[in-house]
Amino acid sequence: MRLAVFLLTTVALAQPPKPLPPSVPDGVALEFDVEYSRVGERMAMDIFRPKGEGPYPAVVAIHGGGFRAGSRAGYHRLCIELAQKGFVAATVSYRLAPRHQFPAAVEDVKAAVRFLRANAQKYRLDPDHIGATGGSAGGHLALMLGLTGHSTAFDGTGPHREQSSQVQAVVNFYGPTDFTKSYDASVDAKDVLPQWIGNDLAHNRRQHLVASPLYYVSPLAAPILTVHGTKDNYVAYEQGRWLDERMKAAGAVHELETIEGAGHGFKGPDLARAEARLLAWFNRYLRPAAERRILISDHGPRGEVVLMDWPSGREHRRIPNGRGHDVQPLPGGNILYTVAPEKKVYEVDASGKRVWECCDGLEHPLAAQRLANGNTLIGDARAGRVLEVDKAGKTVWTYASEDLANMRMRNTRRTPAGTTLICVEAVAKVIEVNQEGQTIWQWQAPEKEKRKLYQAWRLPDGNTLLSLSDPGEVLIVNPQGGVVRSIGGARSDIKMGWASGMARFANGNLLISDYTGRRLIEVDPAGAMVNELRMGPRTVASLAVIE
């Protein structure tokens, strides 16, 4: 018995002491030793976050140590500072060589990102704005997160695989990027890499390439900042320069911060400079810009009205519209939209409940506009008529013409002066009619047999905003018909196939749907594109900004 007690005591004394949580300042909450995976062995992270409701952008910090050593505790100080500056910061452990070889560590840090995204509400973080940082081996792993986020090749078998492991920004401190060039330029590569990769370069060059971040650079890469010293004898400075060249050649965002004379592992002023750049980088790419709400009418195969954020594209509501064309936000969160297959115009409230519909006798309602007097203007493209109906659905005004029938017309809008603009798509012409049905103004696009005119709006200054196809172009024309401004078209740097829906932001920027290009673009008053969102399968006929 005494021997057994002695042996048990000896084994207990041989175990490393369980790490203790660090002390944190007021305003910072700590979730210590949070398990995120049990693949291979138990993996954990320490999460530091501001004491507030959030959601806050998040940063995953990955320690170095030659893939064989190191501790997540090494990033406690930085994580506390990040939490004090409004980030959720998690420092993570990962499986180490030689017991666990590549790609185990990559799979672990991806599982860590997925864990945070799956538990975003619990830890009050923003799942759409997660960054990664690390030094040396940790820098390499952060790079792999930033460069392979659109691939599942290194997802492994860890939990939360329904979540994305993609990160939105990376700060890499002197991480290796090309292992095939490490052996002759590093004091310890010949000892480190065979243990982690499984062979030296002579016996497995292919696996060295597979493990090298440089070969995953693409236009889809996250924005990356690399900070590297010119006197680094563990990871040569050229490794950072090669990444810089490859990223820029691919059209990806990368900056190389060179610290002259610095070695491997920054100290003093070099460390302060590096961390200042880190904070600025994450503030730039992880702090979401002020989002604005927009509505789109998807005329594509999904056939939906979508409430979304701009420019992120985050969707909040989807309402089936049968591949309808038009949409308008109304006070209180209500939405007015057309459903051509059902020959109806519907209004739903903020909960999605239908509160109004119109009208029997419509053939193909393509446009709808709720007017200031509470009535609704409807463009029936099949019948070739525009009608104004009251709340009871009674027609109080009509304009009809054979020139508009059989789908020759598109959108129609009432002007502030009480006249009505009607787009005659078939001949690329817009007409303005008064309450008596008289045409008081018109504008004819050149090449009328080729071009299609989709939408027209009267601006507060009296000019008219128009959208055209072939090529896609948005025009502002004055009352005399002269072109005041052109966006897109044949002579512009912005190329569109078919400009359909348009809307104006409060700052004067224009939001335009490039219908056949399946994208939305925001253009400033100077004509420069400031935001773009590729819409995948969606083809947006109309859109609106929610003020």
Side-chain angles (χ1 to χ4, degrees), residues 298-304 323 537-539:
D298 178 8
H299 184 58
R302 292 184 180 179
E304 296 173 321
R323 302 187 67 182
R538 295 196 187 279
T539 49

Side-chain angles (χ1 to χ4, degrees), residues 19 32-39 41-47 60-64 69-76 90-96 100 104-113 138 141:
F32 185 70
D33 198 39
V34 177
E35 179 181 308
Y36 72 85
S37 175
R38 276 190 175 270
V39 176
E41 58 184 82
R42 180 181 184 272
M43 290 293 111
M45 64 174 68
D46 304 329
I47 305 171
V60 176
I62 310 168
H63 68 81
S71 166
R72 68 177 187 267
Y75 270 123
H76 280 170
T91 176
V92 304
S93 298
Y94 53 90
R95 284 173 287 173
L96 299 174
H100 302 287
V106 181
E107 294 172 355
D108 287 346
V109 296
K110 283 180 170 280
V113 173
L141 296 174

Side-chain angles (χ1 to χ4, degrees), residues 75-153:
Y75 270 123
H76 280 170
R77 178 194 58 80
L78 178 62
C79 287
I80 290 171
E81 291 184 10
L82 286 169
Q84 289 177 308
K85 290 178 170 62
F87 294 86
V88 174
T91 176
V92 304
S93 298
Y94 53 90
R95 284 173 287 173
L96 299 174
R99 173 178 289 185
H100 302 287
Q101 296 179 355
F102 173 83
V106 181
E107 294 172 355
D108 287 346
V109 296
K110 283 180 170 280
V113 173
R114 296 197 304 267
F115 174 86
L116 289 172
R117 194 161 268 130
N119 291 277
Q121 187 172 3
K122 179 178 181 181
Y123 298 116
R124 301 174 185 175
L125 62 90
D126 180 352
D128 295 325
H129 294 89
I130 300 177
T133 188
S136 194
H140 167 276
L141 296 174
L143 288 173
M144 293 296 282
L145 286 174
L147 296 170
T148 67
H150 292 80
S151 168
T152 59

Side-chain angles (χ1 to χ4, degrees), residues 234-282:
Y234 285 84
V235 178
Y237 170 72
E238 285 73 20
Q239 297 265 345
R241 184 166 51 78
W242 295 329
L243 179 64
D244 186 57
E245 293 169 354
R246 187 72 63 93
M247 289 279 286
K248 290 175 179 175
V253 176
H254 185 270
E255 290 184 16
L256 175 60
E257 180 80 1
T258 300
I259 302 184
E260 291 291 338
H264 196 74
F266 301 137
K267 298 179 181 179
D270 292 340
L271 178 61
R273 174 179 166 184
E275 292 185 354
R277 289 288 279 123
L278 173 145
L279 182 62
W281 194 259
F282 286 147

